[in-house]
Amino acid sequence: VDGAGNSSNINSYNLKDHEPFNGTSYYRLKQTDFDGGQEYSNTVAVNILSSFGDIVVFPNPVLNNSFLTFNSNATGTAEIIIYDAMGRTVIVKAYNLQEGSNKFNLPTAEISKGMYFLRVSDGNAFQNIKFIKE
């Protein structure tokens, strides 16, 4: 973030990490003066909890249709996107989430054999897993 330059006023700055990693991340600030001098703040650990826990596609490997189970820490809508190994979108579905345990039928009977990646997103956070279709 660009600074205000030379100022006798107190200035406040902020920056938001819009795609933080799940788990523990470490942040610190670096101030660079016009003369090239630098100072660092203390490092702060921030623990980001995923909106989803224990995501499982079963059976895995998938034979026909399959199920997706996971825990959610909130109600709302989840978007489920399945990608093939080339990154092409194969299935997109929206499901209504309930807080706690969730189980959804995945329409995987029509997809070809191979490895797939499934992304669960609630608009704020996402999580990816992979599964195999036989």
Side-chain angles (χ1 to χ4, degrees):
V1 176
D2 289 336
N6 294 329
S7 175
S8 59
N9 297 326
I10 295 175
N11 294 297
S12 297
Y13 302 93
N14 64 63
L15 179 71
K16 183 174 182 177
D17 185 352
H18 291 281
E19 294 186 19
F21 292 105
N22 289 327
T24 303
S25 294
Y26 299 91
Y27 295 89
R28 69 178 179 172
L29 300 177
K30 174 182 168 185
Q31 177 184 321
T32 304
D33 296 331
F34 287 124
D35 65 3
Q38 300 173 345
E39 289 184 44
Y40 290 92
S41 70
N42 293 331
T43 301
V44 177
V46 176
N47 189 23
I48 304 294
L49 300 175
S50 173
S51 298
F52 313 106
D54 304 323
I55 295 180
V56 176
V57 171
F58 71 92
N60 191 8
V62 172
L63 297 175
N64 290 308
N65 282 323
S66 59
F67 295 93
L68 172 68
T69 63
F70 60 90
N71 293 317
S72 174
N73 64 9
T75 59
T77 303
E79 181 178 63
I80 310 301
I81 305 174
I82 297 176
Y83 301 94
D84 65 14
M86 300 298 292
R88 296 176 293 224
T89 301
V90 177
I91 295 172
V92 177
K93 277 192 81 80
Y95 295 97
N96 292 322
L97 292 177
Q98 61 183 1
E99 188 173 352
S101 180
N102 290 271
K103 180 179 178 182
F104 303 112
N105 184 19
L106 291 176
T108 51
E110 296 89 28
I111 64 176
S112 304
K113 292 179 180 181
M115 183 171 60
Y116 292 88
F117 300 92
L118 181 141
R119 173 178 279 211
V120 180
S121 172
D122 67 358
N124 295 315
F126 65 89
Q127 193 165 339
N128 297 315
I129 63 168
K130 62 183 174 182
F131 68 92
I132 296 174
K133 170 72 185 286
E134 286 190 346

